Amino acid sequence: MPLNAVRIVWRVTRLNFRAQLEYRAEFLTMIAIGAVWQVSVIVFATVLLTRFTGMGGWDSRDVLLIPATRMLAHGLFVLFLGRMHGLGRQIQEGRVDAYLLRPMPVHRQAQLEYFPTNAIGDLTVAAALMAGALSRSDLDWTAGRISYLIAAVLGGMLLEAALFTAVACASLRFPAADYWGRWLEQLLGTFGSYPLNVLPRAVGGFLTYGLPLAFVAYFPAAFLTGHGHDTGVPYWLAALSPLLGLLAYLGSRLLWRWSLGHYTGVNG
Amino acid sequence: MSALHAWRAARVTPLGELYTPPRMTAALLRLTVQIVLVTSLWRGLYAHTGTTAGLTREQAVTYAVMAVLSTRVRELDQYSGRDTVLQHVHFGTIVYWYLRPLPPQRYYALRALGEQLYGFAWALAAYAVCLAAGAVQPPASAAVAAVSGLSLVLGQWIFYYLILVIDQVCFWTMRNDAAVQILLFAQNLLSGVYAPLWFFPDWFVTASGFLPFQATLSVPLSLYVGRVPLSDAGFHLAVQAGWIVFLALFTRLLWRKAALRVVSQGG
């Protein structure tokens, strides 16, 4: 983005943040929501992970890396790219039509719609779990591994953004597509925290090639912890997860451009 | 004639889905995939484990699938029809609820009844399919079926009141997005949608016993799978009934106070 665009984005973000502060109870509650949502994932994952030790052949010390990676990726997604989720409402209310009249890309305007207060809670809890997962891990955290972990989190963020951008593209034509966005969020939260080889091959395949949430956290964590050969996909494919996240996001932005070009307004 | 009016109020939200076949297709696909995923997950978790937390594999899978079916009972989209309380308050159309020859609380209740009956039809059909496919175990006896069925009805009744309280908050706060999300999170976690409460630490189970959420789902499903024996059913049904009475009185009070806050625009 040109410098002026960066300045505008920064100013709008500050304005949005102050707007959130106007209703303090709502502001604090939204932070709490991010936190409790992530806590629910922690509770769900850790309660079950401790009840069913050795699931999928994973050691309990390593398996926490999966939910930790996913939640960190999710928190970053909510903070930077999350406004694609729920875009159907803005389309239905005719606000996207107004965006088309302004000298700023529609995608950027959508992302600047409001400040995602819940991301604060999201990231706080996610960071805590990641710290916990790393402290329990007996891996040797070399510079290479740390770099890969960072790439994995960013790749997961982009992959999640790609999925929700695709839903937003569908919303441009069918506002009710938001239904799938809510379900997608639920699936990522529920199934994104497990070693997927605990599932039958067909179901694991669905979560790899149909709805590719395995690439968000499971494959990167498997690669890092030496389970790369047990994932059900080629070793190199699991290792390349962060790059696939980037490619998926670029693809979704192309789809967005195409969809916007075919947008016919809120009433067709 | 009053029956006809009640019927029309009750079917308001389901019509929004029935008039939009793609949504019904989406709901069917989502439900199917969800059940397959949940069944696979729980069978996979139990692959190397016997009975844990007092639940066998069959009980846990049955519980998880029934939990998915239960969430289908109240999943209709009022927002697209611009018929949520929040939207009415924002747009000022809430005043029409008070100008009709039908009390707002009765309209709200009839609409909720229609939604739940519609959702229940879906859940019942899916239950029959899951029963035939072996994803769900049949109840151990007719008595278990009757008692857990009654408990399910009471549970949905409590859930109706919880949603109502959140909607009534709109008359004071003008925003309820955060409250809705908090409620849904608490509901899903504490009622056992994510995982049966029996898997949680004892202090967690005890703490949730003081809240209404476990009464909406965990109790009826635990009765169904036999985790809670029939001999203890009386106590649990009494607790559910107690929550209903308390919430009924509380929401009645809120309706009365909410009416005082409604002013015609320009007034």
Side-chain angles (χ1 to χ4, degrees):
Chain A
M1 288 186 287
L3 182 61
N4 190 49
V6 173
R7 186 181 299 119
I8 291 176
V9 168
W10 174 243
R11 284 182 174 173
V12 174
T13 300
R14 287 176 55 206
L15 180 64
N16 283 340
F17 185 78
R18 294 210 309 271
Q20 293 289 326
L21 287 175
E22 179 171 2
Y23 302 98
R24 287 181 189 76
E26 180 84 357
F27 177 78
L28 295 176
T29 308
M30 288 302 292
I31 292 183
I33 279 175
V36 300
W37 172 251
Q38 296 282 58
V39 166
S40 71
V41 175
I42 289 184
V43 170
F44 188 36
T46 56
V47 160
L48 294 190
L49 293 177
T50 54
R51 283 286 182 178
F52 303 96
T53 55
M55 69 164 70
W58 283 63
D59 188 288
S60 62
R61 290 170 302 175
D62 291 333
V63 76
L64 274 188
L65 195 60
I66 304 178
T69 301
R70 192 207 89 76
M71 292 193 332
L72 210 46
H74 177 72
L76 290 173
F77 159 72
V78 172
L79 182 62
F80 293 115
L81 300 167
R83 256 67 65 220
M84 281 291 114
H85 182 25
L87 190 76
R89 283 192 174 187
Q90 298 176 48
I91 294 170
Q92 196 181 37
E93 292 173 2
R95 280 184 273 154
V96 165
D97 300 54
Y99 294 165
L100 288 163
L101 303 177
R102 297 173 181 163
M104 185 188 282
V106 172
H107 185 274
R108 198 178 306 165
Q109 293 184 63
Q111 296 292 2
L112 292 172
E113 174 70 16
Y114 60 89
F115 185 84
T117 311
N118 52 312
I120 299 175
D122 271 339
L123 285 168
T124 303
V125 176
L129 185 65
M130 178 58 81
L134 293 182
S135 67
R136 285 168 58 98
S137 171
D138 59 352
L139 289 175
D140 180 13
W141 286 103
T142 61
R145 280 211 173 93
I146 292 177
S147 300
Y148 183 85
L149 181 60
I150 292 173
V153 169
L154 295 180
M157 172 190 78
L158 291 176
L159 181 49
E160 187 163 345
L163 294 172
F164 283 106
T165 300
V167 173
C169 292
S171 295
L172 285 172
R173 186 166 289 272
F174 313 104
D178 257 7
Y179 182 75
W180 296 107
R182 291 193 294 273
W183 185 46
L184 181 58
E185 183 173 36
Q186 181 190 349
L187 280 188
L188 284 164
T190 304
F191 292 93
S193 302
Y194 292 104
L196 295 183
N197 59 338
V198 77
L199 300 171
R201 201 165 197 84
V203 178
F206 168 72
L207 295 177
T208 301
Y209 302 110
L211 185 73
L213 61 82
F215 293 94
V216 174
Y218 170 55
F219 286 163
F223 175 71
L224 279 170
T225 57
H227 293 87
H229 297 286
D230 304 321
T231 58
V233 301
Y235 186 79
W236 60 267
L237 189 59
L240 283 177
S241 295
L243 180 59
L244 293 178
L246 175 61
L247 292 178
Y249 184 68
L250 293 179
S252 72
R253 289 299 298 268
L254 289 178
L255 178 63
W256 167 264
R257 180 183 299 216
W258 180 88
S259 299
L260 200 59
H262 288 75
Y263 178 61
T264 56
V266 66
N267 289 314
Chain B
M1 186 57 65
S2 63
L4 177 60
H5 290 158
W7 161 249
R8 285 183 171 163
R11 69 175 188 173
V12 161
T13 315
L15 281 183
E17 182 162 295
L18 292 166
Y19 281 152
T20 316
R23 284 198 205 166
M24 299 183 71
T25 306
L28 180 61
L29 179 59
R30 172 174 174 171
L31 194 60
T32 303
V33 174
Q34 195 76 13
I35 290 171
V36 170
L37 287 176
V38 164
T39 303
S40 302
L41 176 65
W42 282 94
R43 285 181 176 168
L45 292 178
Y46 267 86
H48 307 292
T49 310
T51 299
T52 181
L55 287 168
T56 65
R57 187 184 89 149
E58 284 68 34
Q59 283 176 315
V61 173
T62 296
Y63 185 110
V65 172
M66 300 267 298
V68 170
L69 297 183
S70 296
T71 60
R72 172 61 210 175
V73 172
R74 291 218 60 189
E75 212 175 48
L76 284 178
D77 185 7
Q78 294 172 353
Y79 190 92
S80 294
R82 217 168 72 68
D83 202 23
T84 65
V85 173
L86 177 66
Q87 285 169 306
H88 281 300
V89 170
H90 270 199
F91 296 123
T93 51
I94 192 68
V95 67
Y96 295 125
W97 279 25
Y98 286 85
L99 298 178
R100 293 168 176 164
L102 182 71
Q105 55 267 33
R106 194 175 307 165
Y107 172 76
Y108 188 96
L110 286 171
R111 190 184 59 171
L113 179 62
E115 291 168 7
Q116 284 178 311
L117 288 178
Y118 176 81
F120 180 71
W122 272 82
L124 194 57
Y127 170 79
V129 173
C130 290
L131 207 53
V136 168
Q137 300 289 302
S141 68
V144 167
V147 172
S148 58
L150 172 60
S151 187
L152 270 172
V153 171
L154 296 179
Q156 288 300 317
W157 200 345
I158 295 172
F159 189 60
Y160 156 76
Y161 280 125
L162 293 175
I163 295 292
L164 173 55
V165 169
I166 292 298
D167 277 335
Q168 287 172 318
V169 165
C170 296
F171 286 92
W172 283 271
T173 66
M174 296 298 293
R175 296 187 65 87
N176 74 345
D177 287 27
V180 167
Q181 294 191 52
I182 288 280
L183 172 78
L184 289 183
F185 155 75
Q187 165 68 18
N188 288 342
L189 178 66
L190 297 173
S191 69
V193 166
Y194 292 148
L197 293 188
W198 310 104
F199 287 112
F200 289 79
D202 287 339
W203 63 264
F204 190 94
V205 178
T206 302
S208 69
F210 291 97
L211 299 169
F213 304 107
Q214 49 95 31
T216 63
L217 193 76
S218 179
V219 167
L221 292 194
S222 297
L223 283 166
Y224 182 93
V225 303
R227 182 62 177 79
V228 170
L230 269 187
S231 53
D232 293 339
F235 169 75
H236 286 101
L237 292 176
V239 169
Q240 283 184 303
W243 276 115
I244 289 173
V245 171
F246 169 77
L247 289 169
L249 295 175
F250 181 60
T251 53
R252 176 184 290 257
L253 174 69
L254 288 186
W255 270 126
R256 191 170 302 148
K257 289 188 175 302
L260 300 177
R261 296 183 61 86
V262 175
V263 179
S264 297
Q265 285 180 320

